[in-house]
Amino acid sequence: MTALGDVLELQLILFLVMGAGLVLTKLGVITASGRKCLTDLLIDLILPCNILCSFQIEMSREILLATLWVLGIACGIQAACYLLGKWIFCFAPEAQKKVLQYATMCSNAGFMGNPIIEGLYGAQGLLYGSVYLIPLRFFMWSAGLSCFTKSTPGETVKKLATHPCILAVFLGFALLLTQWQMPAFLDRTLSYFSACTLPVSILIVGSILAGVRVRSIFTGMTAYYCAVRLLLVPLLTLAACRLLGLDALVTGVCVVLSGMPAGSTTAILAEKYGGDAEYASKCIFLSTLLSLATIPLLCGLMAAL
């Protein structure tokens, strides 16, 4: 299957799982209390396992040096998206602003991006893609989490330091730096839980969408967000990579991954911390739908350069 075929297949899977969550909620199988249990299970167990698995990357000194550019560009992208989200959506209502800031910073690069990168650039591209996700994971559970939690600086630090996903990020960094190999039984256990991330998270998004009117999804603000997330961010990334004179492989990986739609954790965190989960689900749905066109365009652009 071609890389573009992989894009289409992954997006269709997302919509099918999302549809299942919507139908199950309409039928009463997934209730409000049941959705809360799924959300807690996802954040407290499944996502930490997924984060730990994402750090299981084989590193040598040579590979580490070769990936420093990817790591640096990825850090720059995350910092720029954080600042961009604070500025470009300043006129939005407060509840929507939190969602838009998080969704600009935290994309679906992990679920959708790496399979596409592997199809486009092979094993070396996949390695670069895995390194690209490290800053994304860190920002997702630090600056990203703070979008939905309001407290004093001391309380914020305490909450972040004890959050299961933050702890998983730090433990993942330790595993990456030491290259410690987990026992097989532990590695497989984490992998089994990690494999539940996509279906459970997208089921929750579909469940939230069950209470949303279809016409309310397509608004000027959600379209504006999609233009920022799917077009502006990757084009700015491309300009930065060309300005720095980076090679085609590093540039391609960073540009394609920076153009992924909103991450499902946008709705998950909004649901858990009393944010606008419905609005978050609209952004996820619309950006994923529009990415059917924008991701192939980005892939074609990188192939032509």
Side-chain angles (χ1 to χ4, degrees):
M1 182 178 289
T2 65
L4 295 185
D6 288 339
V7 175
L8 180 60
E9 183 179 52
L10 283 165
Q11 288 164 319
L12 289 175
I13 290 171
L14 289 176
F15 283 116
L16 283 175
V17 178
M18 201 179 294
L22 189 152
V23 170
L24 289 172
T25 301
K26 291 286 189 182
L27 294 175
V29 176
I30 299 179
T31 62
S33 60
R35 189 168 72 206
K36 182 182 184 305
C37 289
L38 283 175
T39 302
D40 290 342
L41 177 66
L42 184 69
I43 290 177
D44 293 337
L45 176 63
I46 296 174
L47 277 173
C49 291
N50 177 257
I51 291 168
L52 285 173
C53 288
S54 73
F55 279 93
Q56 297 295 297
I57 307 168
E58 290 188 11
M59 281 285 186
S60 65
R61 180 179 175 82
E62 292 74 20
I63 293 175
L64 184 60
L65 291 174
T67 56
L68 284 178
W69 270 115
V70 177
L71 190 63
I73 291 295
C75 288
I77 291 170
Q78 292 306 129
C81 285
Y82 174 73
L83 297 173
L84 186 66
K86 281 187 169 295
W87 171 71
I88 206 167
F89 301 115
C90 60
F91 53 84
E94 187 62 27
Q96 293 183 7
K97 187 192 303 183
K98 294 176 182 178
V99 168
L100 293 168
Q101 287 175 353
Y102 182 93
T104 301
M105 192 181 353
C106 304
S107 72
N108 206 9
F111 296 141
M112 291 179 60
N114 272 356
I116 295 168
I117 290 300
E118 184 176 18
L120 285 171
Y121 301 114
Q124 189 174 359
L126 182 59
L127 172 62
Y128 286 176
S130 299
V131 172
Y132 177 96
L133 291 177
I134 294 173
L136 174 60
R137 298 287 190 190
F138 184 79
F139 272 79
M140 180 183 294
W141 299 111
S142 53
L145 186 60
S146 68
C147 291
F148 296 105
T149 56
K150 288 293 183 182
S151 55
T152 65
E155 290 173 337
T156 299
V157 171
K158 183 178 179 180
K159 286 180 181 178
L160 293 177
T162 57
H163 194 283
C165 292
I166 286 288
L167 294 175
V169 169
F170 285 121
L171 182 55
F173 269 118
L175 293 174
L176 179 65
L177 294 174
T178 61
Q179 289 291 286
W180 181 70
Q181 296 297 314
M182 296 183 189
F185 75 91
L186 180 57
D187 183 59
R188 292 184 66 182
T189 301
L190 292 175
S191 298
Y192 288 145
F193 280 120
S194 176
C196 299
T197 304
L198 186 145
V200 174
S201 60
I202 301 302
L203 269 176
I204 295 171
V205 172
S207 176
I208 296 169
L209 280 172
V212 175
R213 291 184 296 109
V214 175
R215 290 184 180 180
S216 69
I217 295 174
F218 302 91
T219 66
M221 184 59 73
T222 55
Y224 176 56
Y225 162 73
C226 290
V228 172
R229 174 70 264 170
L230 301 176
L231 295 175
L232 179 61
V233 172
L235 289 177
L236 289 176
T237 302
L238 175 59
C241 290
R242 297 301 292 269
L243 187 64
L244 291 169
L246 302 182
D247 65 54
L249 179 56
V250 171
T251 300
V253 169
C254 292
V255 170
V256 172
L257 288 180
S258 69
M260 294 293 140
S264 57
T265 49
T266 311
I268 304 304
L269 292 181
E271 173 80 0
K272 183 172 179 64
Y273 296 108
D276 194 339
E278 287 191 3
Y279 189 74
S281 296
K282 294 176 187 179
C283 292
I284 294 167
F285 178 87
L286 186 58
S287 62
T288 303
L289 179 64
L290 294 179
S291 70
L292 285 166
T294 59
I295 293 176
L297 282 175
L298 285 176
C299 293
L301 175 63
M302 298 317 301
L305 292 177

